[in-house]
Amino acid sequence: MSEFGLVALLVGALGLIAIGIAGLVLARNLFRLVLALAVAEAGANLLLVLAGFRQGASAPIIEGGSTLHQVAMVDPIPQAMVLTAIVIGVGVQALALALAVRAREAYGSLDMDQLRARMEADIIAAAGTAPTTSQEAPSGARPLPPPLPSPARIAAEEPSS
Amino acid sequence: MLTRYGSLLFATGFAFLLFSLFIALPMGEPPTLAGQAILNEAANSVGAANIVTSVVLAYRGIDTLGELSILFAAATAVGLVLGGQARAPRPSKEDGAGGFILQTGVDLLFPLLLVVGFYIILHGHLTPGGGFQGGVVLAAALVLPVLARPEESPSPAALAWVEGLAGAAFIATGLAALAYDHAFLTPLLGAGQLGDLFSAGTLPLLYLAVGLKVGAELAKLLLRLAEEGPAA
């Protein structure tokens, strides 16, 4: 394989990882999250196999039943590692999908925003507290009530101390 | 909106960082010392024509056992998360059965898939392939008929037995080496003639156990995921 081919494969592997990571941070659907993880994993595996590549070498399988003719072969260790990584990746994906199935059964959605909203509503209902407010979308009356006195302010306002 | 651009920027920067890291590495140079040593020695000491198989089963056999354990743990966790048999009733005869073309095609494909799966498993020490790859083909062969005739799915108990016995066989083969004063999972029975079907000692037996275990495990996993839950 030429130098150009090697660089093209490298760019492809890194591109798969980048696509997977972009999917991981951008996706809002749980199923797409699992798919993005699978894409990133494929890129990482390709990168590992590429690390064992050797110019002008053959696959690490001896042909013809003799060890006498020593042909140059690629490194077998990354290939064995990738075999392991693929199998473990299957296990991880299966578990993630099972969790997604349960989440959809429990909350009726795979969208992360809806899931979070429904989970928070569940937690609030179970804990019996008032709805939480966030800085982006504060609830409650405007103008906001004065902040609660903090120990530091109390200390500052009391000249005697 | 800002978070989306920020995320894209992060992914691009990460890719650029990885690329500049890897372009500096000596790609395509001779492999590592361990890899070269294994390439020189594996054919004579292990006797498997496929050197990747030598690495997976002879040099890193205990890692493969750990890998099987991880797969088992994942399958068990999926079963735990999705609940037991009480979760979904078996579909009835009319419910979700495939059409004529699917049923005939599956009948035709099922024996062929079994043959291909076992071929890939049993020639794992000679040709590209092995227990994991052949096991996935076996799992496909077991899951395909369920698509055509959902009421005739293989019983999870039988699959669990196959899986458990195969896993026990893998460990028993490893323990047998202890009886001959070798380390755990050392290949026995001599290396044999390189390239023969009966060569590489116990490696084909180990790969057969791996193949049956992976096939049964994945089939069980897929069937569990394919079960229909209560209407959401």
Side-chain angles (χ1 to χ4, degrees):
Chain A
M1 193 176 5
S2 65
E3 194 69 28
F4 174 74
L6 191 59
V7 172
L9 276 179
L10 185 63
V11 170
L14 291 174
L16 277 179
I17 294 180
I19 291 172
I21 285 182
L24 275 181
V25 289
L26 286 179
R28 289 169 44 189
N29 186 301
L30 276 186
F31 183 66
R32 292 187 185 178
L33 217 63
V34 178
L35 285 189
L37 196 66
V39 170
E41 193 186 292
N45 286 340
L46 197 54
L47 204 60
L48 261 179
V49 169
L50 216 54
F53 174 71
R54 192 179 183 185
Q55 291 286 356
S58 67
I61 293 173
I62 297 162
E63 289 176 42
S66 103
T67 53
L68 293 180
H69 63 291
Q70 284 287 339
V71 207
M73 286 179 182
V74 297
D75 196 339
I77 295 179
Q79 302 202 3
M81 297 254 181
V82 165
L83 190 61
T84 310
I86 290 173
V87 174
I88 290 172
V90 168
V92 169
Q93 281 159 33
L95 188 54
L97 284 179
L99 289 174
V101 165
R102 288 300 279 186
R104 185 179 148 95
E105 274 178 15
Y107 293 103
S109 169
L110 281 177
D111 186 274
M112 299 245 278
D113 293 340
Q114 288 187 26
L115 272 179
R116 180 175 298 143
R118 289 175 197 180
M119 278 183 192
E120 278 179 358
D122 253 21
I123 292 170
I124 287 165
T129 58
T132 55
T133 61
S134 71
Q135 280 186 328
E136 287 91 1
S139 64
R142 304 295 176 90
L144 293 174
L148 295 173
S150 65
R153 180 173 309 152
I154 293 169
E157 282 171 0
E158 283 181 61
S160 61
S161 70
Chain B
M1 211 58 209
L2 198 63
T3 47
R4 307 198 103 203
Y5 286 127
S7 313
L8 274 182
L9 202 64
F10 167 71
T12 321
F14 187 71
F16 178 74
L17 176 74
L18 276 181
F19 183 74
S20 43
L21 262 178
F22 274 89
I23 206 71
L25 288 181
M27 282 290 197
E29 294 295 307
T32 55
L33 285 176
Q36 192 55 51
I38 285 175
L39 280 177
N40 291 337
E41 190 206 5
N44 291 320
S45 65
V46 181
N50 185 347
I51 295 177
V52 177
T53 299
S54 306
V55 176
V56 166
L57 287 181
Y59 292 98
R60 299 178 53 230
I62 206 157
D63 285 8
T64 303
L65 185 58
E67 180 185 353
L68 288 176
S69 315
I70 288 178
L71 194 61
F72 176 72
T76 311
V78 168
L80 209 66
V81 167
L82 288 184
Q85 266 84 10
R87 187 164 161 271
R90 278 286 165 83
S92 62
K93 185 122 184 137
E94 309 301 320
D95 195 28
F100 170 76
I101 293 177
L102 180 59
Q103 293 193 354
T104 315
V106 166
D107 286 347
L108 210 63
L109 271 179
F110 179 70
L112 293 178
L113 276 176
L114 278 188
V115 169
V116 170
F118 278 111
Y119 172 84
I120 291 177
I121 290 172
L122 290 177
H123 287 72
H125 56 302
L126 305 175
T127 56
F132 293 103
Q133 296 90 326
V136 172
V137 177
L138 284 188
L142 288 174
V143 169
L144 259 186
V146 180
L147 292 180
R149 299 184 188 82
E151 75 277 5
E152 288 178 17
S153 61
S155 82
L159 287 177
W161 269 104
V162 170
E163 180 203 324
L165 286 178
F170 189 96
I171 295 174
T173 316
L175 286 178
L178 294 181
Y180 292 93
D181 289 344
H182 294 300
F184 182 60
L185 278 172
T186 308
L188 299 172
L189 304 177
Q193 174 67 36
L194 188 78
D196 278 2
L197 182 57
F198 295 102
S199 66
T202 46
L203 291 201
L205 294 178
L206 285 177
Y207 245 173
L208 183 63
V210 169
L212 288 176
K213 184 164 167 59
V214 169
E217 196 125 59
L218 281 184
K220 216 171 65 172
L221 232 162
L222 287 173
L223 292 177
R224 181 56 66 75
L225 278 175
E227 272 176 9
E228 282 191 34

